Amino acid sequence: MSVDDESGAAALGSSRPAARIRGLRKVYGGVVALHGLDLDVVPGSVVGLIGPNGAGKTTAVRCIAGLLKPDSGEVSIAPSSTPGKSPVAIAAQEIELYPGLPVEMNLTFFSELSGVADAERVLAELTEELELGPLLGKLPKDLSIGQQRLVHVAAALVATPELLLLDEPTAALDVGARETLLAAVARRRAAGVAVLLSSHQLQEVETTCDSIVMINHGEVIAAGNVDDLIGEHGGGRIELTVDGKVEVVDGDDVAAAIDQVMATGGRLEAVNVIKPSLETVFMSLTGMRSTDVEAS
C-alpha cells in the first residue's frame, strides 16, 4: 500500500480506486466511531481492515456500503462497468437471509436484486465453487451458524461486483469452509474485483490481503503492505506468566527474557514465544497481549 501524495490516503497501486474514502467521520452519542478515515481500494486488491473490538471497522464498512450515513466525509464508488448492475456487494457482519425461503431461492433473489445476467449459470457455478449443493433445499433456520454464514457471504459473491465488502466473512466457519471461501475471494481478486475485508482473524488477513489498514478508536494507526508492516513493527515478543501476571518482553531471546523478568523473584508459570507476524504488529501498535487478540 502506498500513500497518495495529494491526500495522504492509504492506497495500493496506481489504478483508479473502486472505492475512494476521504475524511470519513461518524459519531454515536458523543463517541467518535470514525475520525477522518482516508482509504482507497483499487481493483485486483484485497485490503484488510483490522482493529480491536469497537475500533470502528463495521461502522466504516457500513458507511462505505451506503447502509449508514456518515456525519462528514466523502465516499466515492466507481460506477459498474455493466449497465444496470450494482457496483457494490456487501456481506455484513449480521447474517441476513430470508428465513422462509430455501437457500436456493435466497441466492436467486439476491442475484436478481443485484442485476446478475444469466443468474442460473452463475448460481450453478457458485454452488460448485462453495460446495453449497447439500444446502440448496434447506431453510436457513435448519442450517448451522457456520452454514448460514457461508450462504450469507455467497449472496454477496453471486453479484460479482466491482467492489466487494466483507465484514467478518469467516466467523463461525469450520476450517474447510474457511479455506473454500478465502479461495473464492482470491479468485475474484485475480479477476479484478476490489475487496475490503474486515476480520479479527489476523493470520487469515496476513495470508489473504495485499495490504492492511489498522484502526483504533476510530483512527488509522497503521497502513501499508503486510510484509513491510511486519518488518517495521512486527518484532518477536515473549510473554512470561509469573505469579498469574503476564509480563511482555520484546525480542526472541527466551533466556534473557526469563532472567530479566525473574530478577525480582516469583514463580514462572508459562512462557509464550510469539514470532514476528501481523499479530505482533497488532499487539505492538495497540498495546494488546496475545490473549487479548484471541478474545477480540
Side-chain angles (χ1 to χ4, degrees):
M1 182 176 287
S2 60
V3 175
D4 187 307
D5 292 333
E6 179 182 353
S7 65
L12 179 68
S14 57
S15 301
R16 177 188 178 188
R20 184 178 177 87
I21 296 91
R22 294 292 180 270
L24 198 62
R25 179 180 173 85
K26 182 65 181 178
V27 180
Y28 295 103
V31 177
V32 180
L34 284 177
H35 184 66
L37 177 66
D38 292 343
L39 171 67
D40 287 350
V41 188
V42 301
S45 72
V46 180
V47 177
L49 185 62
I50 63 175
N53 284 330
K57 302 184 299 296
T58 292
T59 297
V61 172
R62 292 179 66 83
C63 285
I64 294 168
L67 300 177
L68 187 64
K69 184 178 180 180
D71 294 307
S72 60
E74 178 183 355
V75 176
S76 299
I77 305 297
S80 173
S81 57
T82 303
K85 186 176 179 181
S86 173
V88 182
I90 179 174
Q93 191 174 48
E94 303 80 12
I95 295 175
E96 297 171 340
L97 297 170
Y98 288 93
L101 297 179
V103 166
E104 185 171 17
M105 293 185 67
N106 262 284
L107 294 177
T108 298
F109 173 77
F110 283 112
S111 67
E112 293 175 350
L113 190 66
S114 301
V116 176
D118 198 2
E120 186 174 345
R121 175 187 61 80
V122 173
L123 285 175
E125 293 175 352
L126 185 65
T127 297
E128 181 177 0
E129 182 180 33
L130 297 184
E131 303 175 6
L132 298 175
L135 309 181
L136 292 180
K138 296 182 179 181
L139 295 174
K141 69 180 181 65
D142 296 324
L143 305 179
S144 69
I145 295 299
Q147 289 171 330
Q148 290 179 32
R149 173 74 60 185
L150 187 61
V151 175
H152 167 70
V153 178
L157 295 180
V158 72
T160 315
E162 313 287 334
L163 174 65
L164 179 61
L165 304 173
L166 302 175
D167 194 358
E168 300 291 345
T170 63
L173 296 188
D174 61 34
V175 174
R178 180 181 292 115
E179 291 181 352
T180 297
L181 178 57
L182 293 178
V185 172
R187 281 188 284 273
R188 280 150 184 79
R189 172 180 58 185
V193 175
V195 183
L196 180 64
L197 187 155
S198 171
S199 178
H200 282 116
Q201 303 295 327
L202 298 182
Q203 184 176 8
E204 170 183 298
V205 171
E206 183 175 337
T207 57
T208 303
C209 299
D210 306 292
S211 59
I212 64 107
V213 174
M214 186 185 302
I215 59 177
N216 197 12
H217 302 298
E219 296 191 53
V220 175
I221 59 173
N225 175 276
V226 174
D227 291 337
D228 290 344
L229 288 174
I230 292 174
E232 183 177 356
H233 301 287
R237 304 183 110 199
I238 302 168
E239 294 180 347
L240 303 99
T241 304
V242 180
D243 294 335
K245 181 180 179 181
V246 177
E247 301 285 349
V248 179
V249 178
D250 292 330
D252 54 12
D253 190 331
V254 176
I258 293 175
D259 289 342
Q260 175 183 330
V261 171
M262 299 303 295
T264 57
R267 179 173 177 269
L268 180 63
E269 299 170 353
V271 177
N272 182 25
V273 179
I274 307 168
K275 296 182 178 179
S277 65
L278 186 57
E279 181 177 322
T280 59
V281 175
F282 188 90
M283 290 188 293
S284 174
L285 296 179
T286 64
M288 297 176 71
R289 301 177 305 190
S290 61
T291 51
D292 299 323
V293 174
E294 291 165 2
S296 68

